[in-house]
């Protein structure tokens, strides 16, 4: 929940950042794509948090929202990234890959008539890895230090 709140807050701050001027159409499109992604995941997060855990359909609702989240992460990995933000591409692809693994594992963990705790834990770990990369992306776009996240960016030649 803490990660989701932090991500939502970061998304809102990113939206303000993205409202700034941008002359280059490629950069403007990139910022719009990032803004759309942030808005999508904020809506999905709200929907996930509003699921009635006592409902018979709670599992199916959760898995449906996770599928939507996965689609959003896949879309993020496919956006066109300007050269100035080239470091974002690899992070977005990693985030998408981790989210896909997480969602597939959640589907497996919440099998038809059983629950596999170990698979659910594996799914949660991948989910957190995906969101960590999103947090890094947002911090980098804000010009913030990422060393507190245990992340570094390697410069390519």
């Amino acid at each position: 929940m803490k990660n989701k709140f932090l991500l939502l807050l970061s998304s809102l701050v990113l939206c303000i950042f993205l409202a700034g001027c941008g002359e280059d159409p490629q950069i403007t499109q990139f910022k719009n794509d990032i803004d759309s992604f942030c808005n999508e995941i904020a809506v999905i997060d709200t929907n996930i948090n509003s699921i009635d855990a006592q409902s018979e359909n709670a599992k199916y609702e959760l898995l449906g929202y996770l599928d939507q989240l996965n689609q959003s992460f896949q879309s993020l990995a496919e956006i066109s990234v300007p050269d100035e933000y080239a470091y974002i591409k690899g992070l977005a692809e990693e985030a998408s890959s981790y989210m896909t693994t997480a969602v597939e594992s959640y589907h497996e963990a919440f099998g038809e008539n059983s629950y596999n705790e170990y698979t659910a834990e594996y799914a949660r770990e991948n989910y957190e890895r995906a969101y960590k990369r999103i947090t890094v992306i947002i911090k980098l776009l804000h010009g913030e230090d990422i060393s507190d996240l245990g992340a570094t960016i390697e410069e390519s030649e």
Side-chain angles (χ1 to χ4, degrees), residues 12 15 19 49 59 75 108 115-116 137 142:
L12 294 176
C15 291
N49 289 320
K59 173 175 83 170
S75 295
E108 186 179 329
Y115 173 75
N116 186 312
I137 289 171
H142 288 147

Side-chain angles (χ1 to χ4, degrees), residues 86-106:
Y87 54 88
I88 299 290
K89 188 69 173 168
L91 289 167
E93 289 170 350
E94 287 177 10
S96 176
S97 177
Y98 280 124
M99 185 56 70
T100 296
T101 300
V103 172
E104 288 171 353
S105 297
Y106 275 125

Side-chain angles (χ1 to χ4, degrees), residues 63-95:
L63 293 175
Y65 289 133
L66 288 172
D67 288 339
Q68 290 176 20
L69 190 62
N70 189 37
Q71 185 60 44
S72 294
F73 272 71
Q74 288 175 357
S75 295
L76 174 68
E78 294 171 1
I79 66 171
S80 177
V81 179
D83 291 339
E84 296 90 325
Y85 300 101
Y87 54 88
I88 299 290
K89 188 69 173 168
L91 289 167
E93 289 170 350
E94 287 177 10

Side-chain angles (χ1 to χ4, degrees), residues 47-64:
N47 290 338
I48 288 173
N49 289 320
S50 67
I51 294 173
D52 177 6
Q54 304 304 317
S55 167
E56 289 181 21
N57 295 322
K59 173 175 83 170
Y60 302 107
E61 288 180 62
L62 174 62
L63 293 175

Side-chain angles (χ1 to χ4, degrees), residues 96-153:
S96 176
S97 177
Y98 280 124
M99 185 56 70
T100 296
T101 300
V103 172
E104 288 171 353
S105 297
Y106 275 125
H107 276 276
E108 186 179 329
F110 291 105
E112 284 302 315
N113 296 316
S114 64
Y115 173 75
N116 186 312
E117 180 180 342
Y118 299 107
T119 305
E121 177 61 22
Y122 178 70
R124 185 192 60 76
E125 289 171 3
N126 281 281
Y127 183 89
E128 288 177 359
R129 288 179 186 127
Y131 269 99
K132 181 175 183 179
R133 277 140 184 88
I134 297 304
T135 302
V136 169
I137 289 171
I138 291 170
K139 283 188 165 228
L140 287 170
L141 289 173
H142 288 147
E144 297 176 19
D145 180 29
I146 60 170
S147 62
D148 62 326
L149 298 172
T152 59
I153 299 295

